[in-house]
Amino acid sequence: MSVLYSLRSDQYDDISGQWEKAFIEFAKGYSSSEIKLTFFTSNTLDQDFVDIVLFTIPLLIQACLVLTVFSVLSCTMFDWVASKPVLATLGVVSAVLAVGSSFGLLLFCGVPFTHLVIGMPFLTIGVGVDDMFIMIASWRSTSPHLSVRDRLGKTFSEAALSITITSITDALAFGIGAISNFPSVRIFCCYCGVAIVFDYIYQVTFFGGCMALIGRREKQNRHCVTFRKVVSKKEAPSSIYKLFCAGGVSRMPKNYENKTSEHIVMRIFKEYYGPLLTKRWFKVLTLFLYLGYIGVAIFGCLQLSEGIDTKQLALDDSYSVQYYEDERTPFQEYGPVVQVVITTPQNYSDTRVQTEITNVLENLQSTTFFHNATSQSTKCWLLDYLQFLNQTNLSYNSEHSFIYHLRNNFSMIPLYEHYRLDVVYSTDDMTIESSRCLVTSRHIANATVERKREFMDNCRQTVDASWIPMLAYHPSFIFDDHFAAILPSTIQNVLIAAVGMLFVSLLLIPQPICGLYVTISITSIIVGVIGFMALWDVGLDFVSMIIIVVCIGFSVDYTAHVAYVFVISQRDSRNERAIESLHLLGLPILQSVFSTIIAVSLISTSKTYVFRNIFKEVFLGILFGGIHGLLFLPVLLSSIGPSKRADNKVHVLQIKVLPAKN
């Protein structure tokens, strides 16, 4: 049995809300061996959204702590002077400050906060940490014997372009999402885009200043933890001192070194992985691996489903989930109750108006989507009122008398008093401003997405054909509209993002053919994300649509930089330039992949379908982006990349730090 209670609104909102709270407390505490009770109220979904935010905040704190630990470990080496655990921590702080600034600015400007926005820090903090790794990698490539000012200038000269392009592509991806047809997506992307801008500002200001301070510590050959002066490993007085204290470069002429210790991962890329990648048999193996990847991805794309279920918006342990299940199983014969609303004042005493409204209701009932007239599932005040007048021999000769009997006779009978909610009178009670009738559908609750869309279109087309202004409405139409718009919106956003990223790639990479390779890589990554997410039980909905666009921005970060370094390399052969690209960018890409995955990994434990899907898509996008940047694209460039020419001119962004004037 299903029972529906309609609560009064307007001046009774507070009382109705208190009734709902009392009912929920009663229903949660009710238990019976004979009766199973499931329930749902008008505020259930809103409360679920609040619970999602409260549940996610501790996960965000844990993600920041885990990301800090990872950053510290990845920036720590056996050289205790060149290691930068404090700077790594400040890099995470910089990203967190960007998130806080985004929240503060947009909330101050009146931008609404939705439950989706709580997922924003997981994405943007990861991006901020990625920029930190690029800055530190550029610092490591400079000579330790330069002054701090010169090292910082060279660092910004090499890293400024990378983090600028990264910020532009990510902000562009979120900017495209900000013009979406879905308000919640627009709000989410607005918060993310502003956070990316703040992150860029903090990277070149706050974090740059932190690098200068840490650079002074390194210049003075001080320990990265104790900040006490130490000697280089060659000058270490004992093995224990060498293991836990020594580092930096010697200032003695006989021990003079031009470079600080190189990270072990960079040596692995240069001496082992890079040369392996240039072997012919390895390239053939990579080709077959790629063909398998793209084949599975295309197969997955063909299995992609559309839409999102209402219960998937709630928490997994919400009482509403069981209600949705029970509503669709024993009561699938009865679907959504569609409201047919007459939106303008009409003279309902006119027989033409009465006939037109009756015809509209009969037209709806004549379709397979609704119960027929004999089932008495249609509830319309006008039909019952006309029957009441006929049975009681009451008559009317004007609109005034029609309304008088309606208000003072018909609506006063307990059997019909519920119709008071279906009629809105003018302030002088002389006319009816608007009214509604309720028509019950059938076999829609468990219908396919296409069937639900056809049902919604049929309802709207039927009422639109009337000469009386009407609309057909049910809350589920919000999701049905989403079903209708999601695929065109996704295609549009992906095409806009792809063109934008191609433009950025052409600006970044002097060789147009490499820009084409990057575009092909981006397309391959997106096909992989869509295909594998379908195989991972993720459908195409308003959330996955924008994450796909965001993955385009992430994919540029991994592929464009590799192609750029390949082009500007001064090495002679393609293989040597591919090895140099991996030597310089392999570590930052690995750090970026792991840091972003770590940042979003904790939301995989979320109790809501939406956030778990965000993790799945971001994980796939980052994983495939890293694989393309470290494997597929280097193999492609080393095989058919542009050959080096003597007349190549590459424009590199240069930043010079000038000494301050006295």
Side-chain angles (χ1 to χ4, degrees):
M1 180 176 70
S2 177
V3 180
L4 176 65
Y5 287 91
S6 298
L7 302 182
R8 303 185 67 174
S9 56
D10 300 330
Q11 68 268 31
Y12 297 97
D13 277 345
D14 292 338
I15 298 177
S16 298
Q18 295 174 15
W19 188 93
E20 283 191 347
K21 291 180 180 179
F23 170 75
I24 292 174
E25 293 299 323
F26 165 78
K28 285 183 177 180
Y30 178 83
S31 62
S32 172
S33 59
E34 299 180 354
I35 300 176
K36 177 184 177 182
L37 176 63
T38 56
F39 55 96
F40 180 88
T41 71
S42 61
N43 290 322
T44 295
L45 201 55
D46 291 337
Q47 186 58 49
D48 281 339
F49 291 159
V50 174
D51 293 340
I52 289 172
V53 174
L54 296 178
F55 177 83
T56 307
I57 289 176
L59 296 180
L60 177 59
I61 297 174
Q62 295 173 36
C64 291
L65 294 177
V66 174
L67 194 57
T68 301
V69 172
F70 169 78
S71 301
V72 168
L73 293 177
S74 63
C75 292
T76 301
M77 305 165 16
F78 291 107
D79 188 318
W80 290 101
V81 173
S83 297
K84 296 173 177 60
V86 175
L87 188 61
T89 303
L90 292 172
V92 178
V93 171
S94 176
V96 172
L97 288 175
V99 171
S101 299
S102 174
F103 277 128
L105 176 62
L106 294 179
L107 290 175
F108 177 78
C109 294
V111 179
F113 180 92
T114 66
H115 76 289
L116 280 180
V117 174
I118 196 62
M120 176 269 285
F122 294 95
L123 296 177
T124 54
I125 290 178
V127 173
V129 173
D130 296 348
D131 292 341
M132 172 196 71
F133 287 136
I134 294 175
M135 295 279 283
I136 292 178
S138 296
W139 175 273
R140 286 198 183 106
S141 67
T142 61
S143 172
H145 294 285
L146 296 174
S147 66
V148 174
R149 178 183 290 112
D150 291 339
R151 291 192 73 180
L152 195 61
K154 287 182 174 294
T155 297
F156 272 89
S157 176
E158 296 176 2
L161 181 61
S162 294
I163 64 174
T164 298
I165 294 300
T166 297
S167 300
I168 289 176
T169 54
D170 293 337
L172 178 61
F174 288 120
I176 293 171
I179 61 175
S180 168
N181 296 327
F182 306 102
S184 58
V185 173
R186 289 200 301 269
I187 294 171
F188 173 78
C189 291
C190 185
Y191 274 91
C192 290
V194 173
I196 293 297
V197 174
F198 272 117
D199 175 71
Y200 178 76
I201 294 173
Y202 285 131
Q203 284 293 328
V204 299
T205 55
F206 171 78
F207 187 72
C210 293
M211 287 193 71
L213 295 176
I214 299 299
R216 292 181 181 179
R217 189 267 304 163
E218 186 175 341
K219 182 67 176 178
Q220 297 171 7
N221 227 69
R222 295 181 180 272
H223 196 279
C224 64
V225 178
T226 65
F227 291 91
R228 296 178 63 87
K229 286 189 176 182
V230 296
V231 298
S232 67
K233 289 185 177 294
K234 290 185 177 181
E235 300 169 325
S238 66
S239 58
I240 299 297
Y241 186 95
K242 182 178 182 180
L243 182 62
F244 294 104
C245 298
V249 295
S250 174
R251 299 300 190 260
M252 299 177 62
K254 64 178 181 178
N255 294 326
Y256 192 85
E257 304 165 52
N258 289 326
K259 293 184 179 181
T260 187
S261 300
E262 192 173 60
H263 199 287
I264 186 173
V265 177
M266 297 180 68
R267 293 203 302 270
I268 291 175
F269 274 105
K270 180 180 180 180
E271 299 174 7
Y272 300 99
Y273 179 73
L276 175 65
L277 183 141
T278 59
K279 302 293 184 181
R280 179 168 297 182
W281 66 267
F282 190 85
K283 293 181 180 181
V284 174
L285 179 63
T286 302
L287 174 62
F288 283 106
L289 178 64
Y290 178 77
L291 292 176
Y293 156 80
I294 201 67
V296 174
I298 293 175
F299 172 77
C301 290
L302 300 177
Q303 313 301 315
L304 185 65
S305 61
E306 296 180 46
I308 187 171
D309 202 342
T310 310
K311 70 176 183 180
Q312 294 172 331
L313 298 175
L315 288 170
D316 295 339
D317 55 1
S318 172
Y319 56 83
S320 61
V321 174
Q322 189 58 51
Y323 169 81
Y324 289 127
E325 293 291 341
D326 292 343
E327 182 188 36
R328 296 176 183 183
T329 305
F331 301 106
Q332 56 182 327
E333 173 71 17
Y334 298 94
V337 178
V338 177
Q339 301 180 41
V340 178
V341 183
I342 294 89
T343 57
T344 60
Q346 299 292 331
N347 181 6
Y348 290 87
S349 63
D350 189 339
T351 55
R352 294 183 305 158
V353 174
Q354 298 171 4
T355 302
E356 181 64 19
I357 295 175
T358 302
N359 289 338
V360 170
L361 297 178
E362 289 178 351
N363 289 337
L364 288 173
Q365 292 173 319
S366 65
T367 66
T368 58
F369 299 108
F370 292 92
H371 295 275
N372 55 39
T374 58
S375 65
Q376 298 183 347
S377 60
T378 297
K379 304 298 180 183
C380 181
W381 68 271
L382 180 60
L383 300 182
D384 285 351
Y385 179 47
L386 294 177
Q387 185 178 12
F388 169 79
L389 293 176
N390 185 52
Q391 293 173 347
T392 58
N393 294 321
L394 291 175
S395 62
Y396 58 90
N397 53 18
S398 65
E399 183 179 9
H400 175 70
S401 59
F402 181 90
I403 295 177
Y404 177 84
H405 291 312
L406 175 63
R407 290 179 62 91
N408 298 286
N409 294 308
F410 178 75
S411 298
M412 301 303 293
I413 298 176
L415 180 62
Y416 303 122
E417 64 179 358
H418 63 277
Y419 283 130
R420 294 176 185 175
L421 301 176
D422 296 339
V423 182
V424 178
Y425 302 96
S426 62
T427 55
D428 58 3
D429 294 335
M430 298 299 294
T431 59
I432 297 177
E433 294 288 336
S434 63
S435 69
R436 67 177 180 180
C437 297
L438 307 179
V439 189
T440 305
S441 62
R442 58 181 304 194
H443 298 302
I444 296 298
N446 293 330
T448 63
V449 172
E450 292 75 15
R451 178 72 173 173
K452 290 180 178 179
R453 188 183 306 167
E454 186 181 353
F455 162 67
M456 179 187 66
D457 292 339
N458 176 267
C459 293
R460 290 175 173 173
Q461 292 170 4
T462 301
V463 298
D464 289 344
S466 172
W467 58 267
I468 299 178
M470 299 182 187
L471 63 86
Y473 172 78
H474 185 270
S476 65
F477 286 0
I478 298 174
F479 299 96
D480 296 335
D481 280 327
H482 155 256
F483 297 155
I486 187 63
L487 184 58
S489 296
T490 301
I491 295 175
Q492 171 186 308
N493 291 339
V494 168
L495 289 177
I496 294 175
V499 172
M501 301 308 169
L502 173 61
F503 178 74
V504 172
S505 299
L506 292 177
L507 288 179
L508 171 66
I509 307 170
Q511 287 280 0
I513 187 63
C514 281
L516 177 62
Y517 291 161
V518 170
T519 303
I520 294 174
S521 298
I522 294 173
T523 304
S524 174
I525 293 170
I526 296 307
V527 171
V529 170
I530 296 175
F532 280 83
M533 83 178 195
L535 298 176
W536 206 353
D537 295 327
V538 179
L540 184 61
D541 52 53
F542 65 97
V543 177
S544 59
M545 172 191 69
I546 190 55
I547 299 300
I548 289 173
V549 176
V550 171
C551 287
I552 295 178
F554 288 160
S555 63
V556 174
D557 301 342
Y558 300 124
T559 56
H561 298 321
V562 172
Y564 175 75
V565 173
F566 180 88
V567 169
I568 67 173
S569 173
Q570 298 303 309
R571 304 288 183 178
D572 294 327
S573 68
R574 295 189 183 98
N575 286 339
E576 290 176 343
R577 282 184 285 156
I579 293 174
E580 184 175 9
S581 298
L582 291 171
H583 173 228
L584 296 177
L585 293 175
L587 176 59
I589 289 178
L590 274 182
Q591 290 173 324
S592 175
V593 168
F594 283 109
S595 64
T596 306
I597 290 178
I598 288 173
V600 300
S601 61
L602 287 178
I603 63 174
S604 65
T605 64
S606 176
K607 294 182 179 180
T608 176
Y609 168 87
V610 171
F611 282 174
R612 288 197 299 271
N613 280 5
I614 290 178
F615 162 75
K616 291 179 181 180
E617 289 186 76
V618 173
F619 173 81
L620 292 174
I622 298 300
L623 177 64
F624 294 152
I627 291 175
H628 279 73
L630 296 177
L631 178 60
F632 294 149
L633 184 59
V635 168
L636 178 66
L637 293 174
S638 66
S639 301
I640 57 174
S643 57
K644 186 175 181 297
R645 298 177 183 175
D647 59 346
N648 275 353
K649 294 183 179 181
V650 178
H651 302 282
V652 181
L653 179 62
Q654 297 288 339
I655 297 178
K656 185 176 182 181
V657 180
L658 300 176
K661 295 182 179 180
N662 295 327

